C-alpha cells in the first residue's frame, strides 16, 4: 500500500485495556505447589513480552521494525462498507467490516506473531516455537519468524497434521519446521509415543512439547491468544478501525466479533472501551462452546496440560472437549481474563450461533460481498445478520471484524 | 477501504491501447465461409462489450455502478514495496508488486467480469454464461453475476471439475451454477457424451457449450481474456499502479507480468505505453508454452473449437496441447492481438521460465513477503528475480504484477 496513506492509519502505539477495566484484573496464579508456572513464563517468553503481560501502562510504543513488517504483510487492513449486503438486507443503517483476512497469512494471528518474533530476535535467542491446531497460528508464527530470520519449530496436533496437509505446505513455504505432535523431538512426546504410537495429539500436548523445546534449545515460546500481551498487540485492529471510521466521519454504534481465546475480539473492540461508552459490543461464540452462558467465571487452567498459569476467566473447564465444529479456532474452553471481566461486568454482551446459521452467514456474505470468511469469522457475521433482523428500523452503524478468510476451510461446504 | 482514499486511486476511465499501437491492429476475421464468427459475436456479447471490442477511443468511462463494485471487491488493490525481498536479494534498486490476489476472488479476473456482467444486466438479458478450466474465471464470473443479481451458468472442463472440487465450492458460494463439460445442457455436449460418456472435456468444448447456451437462453457470453474489451477493463490494474507510483514519487523502470491470454499483462502494462517510452516491459510465459519464441505471428483461431473469430497473434497453433504445468492459466496457445503486435514490433520483450524456477520464486516470495503467489504469477516473479541477478548494480525500480494468490493451488508443493 501507499506509505503516505499507511502512516496515517497504522497506529504508533498499541493499546492495553488493563488500566481502563472497571475493576482490577485478578492476577494469574500457580496451580501447583511443586511447580511455578509463573516462573516458567520468565524462562520461555521474551523479556519484553513478559513485561507487557503484566504492565498497567495504557499505551506501548510499536517498534519501528514491527510497523515496517506490519506494512509488508498488508496493514492497514481494509475497512469496507458492505453496501451490497445492506441492500440485500434492505437495511437503512450502515454495515462495515474490518478484514483481517487481507493480511499475508489470512488472519489476525500475524499481528502478535510479528511482535513476539521481533522481541525474541532482539534478545538474541536461537529460535521460536509454538503449538498449532488447525494451523492458522502455526502459519503466522512461521512467517513472523522468517521475516526476522529466526528458525521456527512448530508442533502441530497430529490429527490436524494428517487432515490438513495444505496448512503444513503453507508453514513450509514460510520456512517453518513442522512436526506432528506428539513428536520424538521432546522427552514428553517420546514418552507419549512409547505408550501409544498412534496418539492423535492435543493442543495441551503440543504446548508441553513446545515449552520443553524452548527450554532445551534457548528458543522462545510464542503465545497465540488469551494472554494480555497478545491482546495488546492485536489492538492494532481496533486502533486502525477507529482511525478509518474517523477519516470518513462515522461512529460505531455496534461492534461484533467472534471469540476463541479472545485475541481478535479484544484487539478489535478494546480500543473503543475508554472513549466509546455508548458503543454496544457483542462477543460471539459457537453454540457448542457456550463459555459465557454456561461457563463459570472462576480461576481455571489456561491449558489442559497445566503448563501455563491459572487465570480468572469464563471457562467450561480445561478438560472440556467440544463436539467437532467447523470453526477449530473457537473450540477453546475459556476466554482472555480482561474480556471475561468485561463480560462479567456487563460492559460486553455475548451471543451464540449454531453451525447452520454460520454456514448461511458465510454464503450470504460471499455472494454479496465476495469475501469467503473463515468459519470462526462466520460466527460474527451470523450475529450481525441476526442483529440487523432484530433492529431493522434503528439505522445503526454496525462494524464486524472478519478475522480471517476461509479459503483453506472450504471443505466444510463439501 | 476508505472511500476518500479509494476515489483518488481507482481511475474514472479505462484505457484502450488500440490508438497508441505503433501500427493499425489487423482486424479479426471469419475462418469459415459457411459460418460467420463475427456475426455470432453480435448475438452473444453485450452490445456495449462489442462496441468496446472494436473502438478506437483511447478512454472509456467506467460506469459508476462498476466503480462501486470495484470498491466492494477490494479495489484499489495494494501496491507494496517488497523491502524484505530487496534485503534478501541485497538489491540496491527498488522492487514493488501490485497484488491482484487481494481482490475478493483472488485474481485480476474479476475486473472484467464485473464490467461484462454489468453491461449484460443493463441490457435486460436472462443471465450470463462462460467456460472455465481451473476455475478462476468461473469464480469471477459467478461473483460478478451475483453482484448484479444475474444467474450464471458455468461449463467447467470435466477433468478440472473432478480434480478441483474446491473451485466448484467457491462458484457455488457465489451462486454460480456449475456443470462438468461436456454436459447434457446443450445439444453439442449431449452429442459428445453420446459418443464418449467419459470424455474429459476441453476448453474448446466448454466455449461451444457456453455459446450454444447463450443463444438458446438469451444469456450473454463472458470473455475471459485475449479479446480487446477484456484488456481494456483490466487497464484498471495499470492505471491504479501509475497513480500509486505517482503519489509516492516513483517511476517504473521495468514492468514484469505473466501472459496466458494477455489480460492481466495488458491491463497492467498498456497504460504505461503512451507516456513511459523508456520503461522496459517484459512478458513472461512458461518454458512449456513458448508462444513468443517458438510461435508464429499469424492469423489463427482464438479457440480450438473455431467458434470465435481468427485473429493475428503469436500462436503455437489452436490445437497445441502443452504438457501439464502448474500454471493452468498459462497454457493458452496464443496471446492477445494488441500484445502480439507490441511484441512483434519490439516494444515489449518476452521471457520464459521453467517450473523449478517458478516453484523457487513462489517460495522466496512467500518467506520474504508473506504472499503465496498463484503459479501463473510465480512466472512473473521468477523473471523478476532473474532480472535482479542480471542487473544487480543498476538500481532500477521494478514493478511486478502478482495477478493472483495461490491458496487454492497449494497442491503443487505436495
Amino acid at each position: 500500500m501507499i506509505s503516505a496513506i499507511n502512516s496515517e492509519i497504522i497506529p504508533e502505539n498499541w493499546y492495553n485495556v488493563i488500566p481502563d477495566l472497571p475493576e482490577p484484573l485478578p492476577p494469574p496464579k500457580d496451580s501447583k505447589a511443586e511447580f511455578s508456572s509463573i516462573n516458567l513464563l520468565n524462562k520461555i517468553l521474551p523479556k519484553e513480552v513478559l513485561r507487557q503481560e503484566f504492565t498497567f501502562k495504557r499505551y506501548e510504543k510499536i517498534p519501528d521494525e514491527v510497523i515496517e513488517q506490519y506494512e509488508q504483510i498488508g496493514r492497514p487492513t481494509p475497512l469496507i462498507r458492505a453496501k451490497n449486503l445492506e441492500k440485500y438486507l434492505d437495511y437503512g443503517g450502515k454495515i462495515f467490516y474490518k478484514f483481517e483476512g487481507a493480511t499475508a497469512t489470512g488472519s489476525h494471528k500475524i499481528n502478535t506473531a510479528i511482535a513476539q518474533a521481533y522481541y525474541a530476535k532482539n534478545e538474541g535467542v536461537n529460535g521460536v516455537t509454538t503449538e498449532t491446531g488447525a494451523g492458522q497460528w502455526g502459519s503466522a508464527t512461521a512467517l513472523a519468524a522468517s521475516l526476522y530470520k529466526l528458525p521456527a519449530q512448530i508442533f502441530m496436533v497430529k490429527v490436524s497434521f494428517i487432515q490438513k496437509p495444505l496448512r503444513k505446505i503453507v508453514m513450509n513455504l514460510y520456512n517453518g519446521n513442522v512436526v506432528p505432535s506428539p513428536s520424538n523431538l521432546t522427552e514428553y512426546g517420546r514418552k507419549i509415543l512409547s505408550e501409544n504410537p498412534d496418539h492423535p495429539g492435543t493442543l495441551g500436548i503440543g504446548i508441553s512439547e513446545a515449552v520443553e523445546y524452548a527450554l532445551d534449545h534457548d528458543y522462545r515460546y510464542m503465545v497465540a491468544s488469551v494472554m494480555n500481551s497478545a491482546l495488546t498487540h492485536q489492538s492494532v485492529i481496533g486502533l486502525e478501525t477507529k482511525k478509518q471510521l474517523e477519516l470518513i466521519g462515522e461512529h460505531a454504534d455496534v461492534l461484533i466479533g467472534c471469540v476463541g481465546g479472545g485475541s481478535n475480539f479484544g484487539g478489535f473492540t478494546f480500543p473503543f472501551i475508554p472513549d466509546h461508552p455508548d458503543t454496544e459490543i457483542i462477543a460471539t461464540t459457537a453454540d457448542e462452546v457456550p463459555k459465557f452462558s454456561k461457563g463459570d467465571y472462576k480461576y481455571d487452567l489456561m491449558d489442559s496440560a497445566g503448563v501455563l498459569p491459572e487465570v480468572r476467566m469464563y471457562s467450561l473447564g480445561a478438560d472440556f472437549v467440544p463436539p467437532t465444529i467447523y470453526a477449530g479456532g473457537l473450540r477453546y474452553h475459556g476466554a482472555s481474563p480482561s474480556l471475561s471481566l468485561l463480560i462479567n461486568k456487563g460492559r460486553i454482551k455475548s451471543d451464540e450461533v449454531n453451525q447452520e446459521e454460520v454456514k448461511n452467514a458465510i454464503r450470504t456474505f460471499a455472494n454479496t460481498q465476495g469475501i469467503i470468511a473463515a468459519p470462526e469469522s462466520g460466527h460474527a457475521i451470523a450475529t450481525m445478520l441476526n442483529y440487523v433482523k432484530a433492529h431493522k428500523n434503528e439505522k445503526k452503524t454496525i462494524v464486524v471484524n472478519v478475522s480471517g478468510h476461509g479459503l483453506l476451510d472450504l471443505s466444510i461446504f463439501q
Side-chain angles (χ1 to χ4, degrees), chain A residues 90-106:
Chain A
D90 189 24
Y91 184 51
K94 293 173 187 169
I95 300 168
F96 289 89
Y97 71 98
K98 178 72 168 166
F99 187 41
E100 290 294 298
T103 66
T105 60

PDB file of all heavy atoms in Angstrom, chain A residues 90-106:
ATOM      1  N   ASP A  90     -31.922  -4.972   2.929  1.00  0.00           N
ATOM      2  CA  ASP A  90     -32.820  -3.817   2.931  1.00  0.00           C
ATOM      3  C   ASP A  90     -32.700  -3.064   4.268  1.00  0.00           C
ATOM      4  O   ASP A  90     -33.686  -2.751   4.930  1.00  0.00           O
ATOM      5  CB  ASP A  90     -34.264  -4.290   2.696  1.00  0.00           C
ATOM      6  CG  ASP A  90     -35.200  -3.112   2.478  1.00  0.00           C
ATOM      7  OD1 ASP A  90     -34.714  -2.041   2.061  1.00  0.00           O
ATOM      8  OD2 ASP A  90     -36.409  -3.260   2.755  1.00  0.00           O
ATOM      9  N   TYR A  91     -31.442  -2.812   4.634  1.00  0.00           N
ATOM     10  CA  TYR A  91     -31.161  -2.210   5.930  1.00  0.00           C
ATOM     11  C   TYR A  91     -30.903  -0.713   5.773  1.00  0.00           C
ATOM     12  O   TYR A  91     -30.094  -0.295   4.935  1.00  0.00           O
ATOM     13  CB  TYR A  91     -29.939  -2.890   6.559  1.00  0.00           C
ATOM     14  CG  TYR A  91     -29.611  -2.404   7.969  1.00  0.00           C
ATOM     15  CD1 TYR A  91     -30.589  -2.366   8.958  1.00  0.00           C
ATOM     16  CD2 TYR A  91     -28.329  -1.988   8.303  1.00  0.00           C
ATOM     17  CE1 TYR A  91     -30.303  -1.921  10.240  1.00  0.00           C
ATOM     18  CE2 TYR A  91     -28.028  -1.551   9.585  1.00  0.00           C
ATOM     19  CZ  TYR A  91     -29.023  -1.510  10.542  1.00  0.00           C
ATOM     20  OH  TYR A  91     -28.732  -1.066  11.806  1.00  0.00           O
ATOM     21  N   GLY A  92     -31.563   0.086   6.554  1.00  0.00           N
ATOM     22  CA  GLY A  92     -31.387   1.531   6.475  1.00  0.00           C
ATOM     23  C   GLY A  92     -30.159   2.047   7.207  1.00  0.00           C
ATOM     24  O   GLY A  92     -29.767   3.200   7.055  1.00  0.00           O
ATOM     25  N   GLY A  93     -29.551   1.187   8.031  1.00  0.00           N
ATOM     26  CA  GLY A  93     -28.323   1.580   8.720  1.00  0.00           C
ATOM     27  C   GLY A  93     -27.101   1.282   7.867  1.00  0.00           C
ATOM     28  O   GLY A  93     -27.204   1.111   6.647  1.00  0.00           O
ATOM     29  N   LYS A  94     -25.941   1.257   8.515  1.00  0.00           N
ATOM     30  CA  LYS A  94     -24.695   1.010   7.789  1.00  0.00           C
ATOM     31  C   LYS A  94     -23.982  -0.198   8.380  1.00  0.00           C
ATOM     32  O   LYS A  94     -23.944  -0.373   9.594  1.00  0.00           O
ATOM     33  CB  LYS A  94     -23.774   2.223   7.895  1.00  0.00           C
ATOM     34  CG  LYS A  94     -24.301   3.455   7.186  1.00  0.00           C
ATOM     35  CD  LYS A  94     -23.431   4.668   7.478  1.00  0.00           C
ATOM     36  CE  LYS A  94     -24.086   5.921   6.895  1.00  0.00           C
ATOM     37  NZ  LYS A  94     -23.424   7.151   7.367  1.00  0.00           N
ATOM     38  N   ILE A  95     -23.414  -0.994   7.477  1.00  0.00           N
ATOM     39  CA  ILE A  95     -22.630  -2.151   7.913  1.00  0.00           C
ATOM     40  C   ILE A  95     -21.210  -1.993   7.364  1.00  0.00           C
ATOM     41  O   ILE A  95     -21.023  -1.830   6.157  1.00  0.00           O
ATOM     42  CB  ILE A  95     -23.239  -3.471   7.388  1.00  0.00           C
ATOM     43  CG1 ILE A  95     -24.673  -3.642   7.895  1.00  0.00           C
ATOM     44  CG2 ILE A  95     -22.368  -4.658   7.784  1.00  0.00           C
ATOM     45  CD1 ILE A  95     -25.439  -4.768   7.206  1.00  0.00           C
ATOM     46  N   PHE A  96     -20.227  -2.022   8.251  1.00  0.00           N
ATOM     47  CA  PHE A  96     -18.828  -2.028   7.832  1.00  0.00           C
ATOM     48  C   PHE A  96     -18.199  -3.334   8.276  1.00  0.00           C
ATOM     49  O   PHE A  96     -18.608  -3.928   9.273  1.00  0.00           O
ATOM     50  CB  PHE A  96     -18.045  -0.889   8.504  1.00  0.00           C
ATOM     51  CG  PHE A  96     -18.393   0.477   7.993  1.00  0.00           C
ATOM     52  CD1 PHE A  96     -19.424   1.209   8.567  1.00  0.00           C
ATOM     53  CD2 PHE A  96     -17.671   1.033   6.949  1.00  0.00           C
ATOM     54  CE1 PHE A  96     -19.743   2.471   8.092  1.00  0.00           C
ATOM     55  CE2 PHE A  96     -17.978   2.305   6.478  1.00  0.00           C
ATOM     56  CZ  PHE A  96     -19.016   3.023   7.040  1.00  0.00           C
ATOM     57  N   TYR A  97     -17.194  -3.780   7.506  1.00  0.00           N
ATOM     58  CA  TYR A  97     -16.400  -4.896   8.043  1.00  0.00           C
ATOM     59  C   TYR A  97     -14.916  -4.590   7.928  1.00  0.00           C
ATOM     60  O   TYR A  97     -14.463  -3.998   6.968  1.00  0.00           O
ATOM     61  CB  TYR A  97     -16.751  -6.233   7.379  1.00  0.00           C
ATOM     62  CG  TYR A  97     -16.314  -6.416   5.941  1.00  0.00           C
ATOM     63  CD1 TYR A  97     -15.149  -7.107   5.627  1.00  0.00           C
ATOM     64  CD2 TYR A  97     -17.089  -5.913   4.896  1.00  0.00           C
ATOM     65  CE1 TYR A  97     -14.759  -7.281   4.304  1.00  0.00           C
ATOM     66  CE2 TYR A  97     -16.706  -6.088   3.577  1.00  0.00           C
ATOM     67  CZ  TYR A  97     -15.539  -6.772   3.282  1.00  0.00           C
ATOM     68  OH  TYR A  97     -15.156  -6.946   1.984  1.00  0.00           O
ATOM     69  N   LYS A  98     -14.206  -4.926   8.999  1.00  0.00           N
ATOM     70  CA  LYS A  98     -12.749  -4.860   9.024  1.00  0.00           C
ATOM     71  C   LYS A  98     -12.282  -6.216   8.575  1.00  0.00           C
ATOM     72  O   LYS A  98     -12.772  -7.246   9.074  1.00  0.00           O
ATOM     73  CB  LYS A  98     -12.285  -4.544  10.441  1.00  0.00           C
ATOM     74  CG  LYS A  98     -10.787  -4.487  10.653  1.00  0.00           C
ATOM     75  CD  LYS A  98     -10.162  -3.262  10.042  1.00  0.00           C
ATOM     76  CE  LYS A  98      -8.712  -3.069  10.513  1.00  0.00           C
ATOM     77  NZ  LYS A  98      -8.028  -2.056   9.647  1.00  0.00           N
ATOM     78  N   PHE A  99     -11.328  -6.263   7.609  1.00  0.00           N
ATOM     79  CA  PHE A  99     -10.989  -7.558   7.021  1.00  0.00           C
ATOM     80  C   PHE A  99      -9.549  -7.980   7.320  1.00  0.00           C
ATOM     81  O   PHE A  99      -8.621  -7.641   6.584  1.00  0.00           O
ATOM     82  CB  PHE A  99     -11.256  -7.537   5.520  1.00  0.00           C
ATOM     83  CG  PHE A  99     -11.095  -8.886   4.871  1.00  0.00           C
ATOM     84  CD1 PHE A  99     -11.570 -10.040   5.491  1.00  0.00           C
ATOM     85  CD2 PHE A  99     -10.477  -9.018   3.644  1.00  0.00           C
ATOM     86  CE1 PHE A  99     -11.414 -11.289   4.910  1.00  0.00           C
ATOM     87  CE2 PHE A  99     -10.323 -10.267   3.049  1.00  0.00           C
ATOM     88  CZ  PHE A  99     -10.787 -11.400   3.686  1.00  0.00           C
ATOM     89  N   GLU A 100      -9.392  -8.737   8.390  1.00  0.00           N
ATOM     90  CA  GLU A 100      -8.068  -9.240   8.749  1.00  0.00           C
ATOM     91  C   GLU A 100      -7.620 -10.383   7.836  1.00  0.00           C
ATOM     92  O   GLU A 100      -6.438 -10.743   7.809  1.00  0.00           O
ATOM     93  CB  GLU A 100      -8.043  -9.687  10.215  1.00  0.00           C
ATOM     94  CG  GLU A 100      -8.133  -8.523  11.188  1.00  0.00           C
ATOM     95  CD  GLU A 100      -6.898  -7.627  11.104  1.00  0.00           C
ATOM     96  OE1 GLU A 100      -5.791  -8.094  11.378  1.00  0.00           O
ATOM     97  OE2 GLU A 100      -7.069  -6.431  10.753  1.00  0.00           O
ATOM     98  N   GLY A 101      -8.547 -10.917   7.061  1.00  0.00           N
ATOM     99  CA  GLY A 101      -8.186 -11.914   6.053  1.00  0.00           C
ATOM    100  C   GLY A 101      -7.284 -11.354   4.972  1.00  0.00           C
ATOM    101  O   GLY A 101      -6.674 -12.106   4.217  1.00  0.00           O
ATOM    102  N   ALA A 102      -7.164 -10.031   4.909  1.00  0.00           N
ATOM    103  CA  ALA A 102      -6.315  -9.402   3.892  1.00  0.00           C
ATOM    104  C   ALA A 102      -4.829  -9.432   4.252  1.00  0.00           C
ATOM    105  O   ALA A 102      -3.991  -9.057   3.446  1.00  0.00           O
ATOM    106  CB  ALA A 102      -6.758  -7.959   3.656  1.00  0.00           C
ATOM    107  N   THR A 103      -4.492  -9.875   5.460  1.00  0.00           N
ATOM    108  CA  THR A 103      -3.062  -9.993   5.772  1.00  0.00           C
ATOM    109  C   THR A 103      -2.471 -11.175   5.001  1.00  0.00           C
ATOM    110  O   THR A 103      -3.210 -12.048   4.528  1.00  0.00           O
ATOM    111  CB  THR A 103      -2.810 -10.249   7.271  1.00  0.00           C
ATOM    112  OG1 THR A 103      -3.329 -11.541   7.607  1.00  0.00           O
ATOM    113  CG2 THR A 103      -3.477  -9.185   8.133  1.00  0.00           C
ATOM    114  N   ALA A 104      -1.149 -11.203   4.927  1.00  0.00           N
ATOM    115  CA  ALA A 104      -0.478 -12.243   4.138  1.00  0.00           C
ATOM    116  C   ALA A 104      -0.842 -13.653   4.597  1.00  0.00           C
ATOM    117  O   ALA A 104      -1.014 -14.547   3.772  1.00  0.00           O
ATOM    118  CB  ALA A 104       1.030 -12.047   4.198  1.00  0.00           C
ATOM    119  N   THR A 105      -0.960 -13.873   5.903  1.00  0.00           N
ATOM    120  CA  THR A 105      -1.284 -15.230   6.357  1.00  0.00           C
ATOM    121  C   THR A 105      -2.786 -15.465   6.453  1.00  0.00           C
ATOM    122  O   THR A 105      -3.217 -16.545   6.841  1.00  0.00           O
ATOM    123  CB  THR A 105      -0.626 -15.554   7.721  1.00  0.00           C
ATOM    124  OG1 THR A 105      -1.112 -14.620   8.696  1.00  0.00           O
ATOM    125  CG2 THR A 105       0.882 -15.449   7.635  1.00  0.00           C
ATOM    126  N   GLY A 106      -3.578 -14.466   6.118  1.00  0.00           N
ATOM    127  CA  GLY A 106      -5.011 -14.671   6.003  1.00  0.00           C
ATOM    128  C   GLY A 106      -5.801 -14.551   7.282  1.00  0.00           C
ATOM    129  O   GLY A 106      -6.995 -14.858   7.287  1.00  0.00           O
TER     130      GLY A 106
END
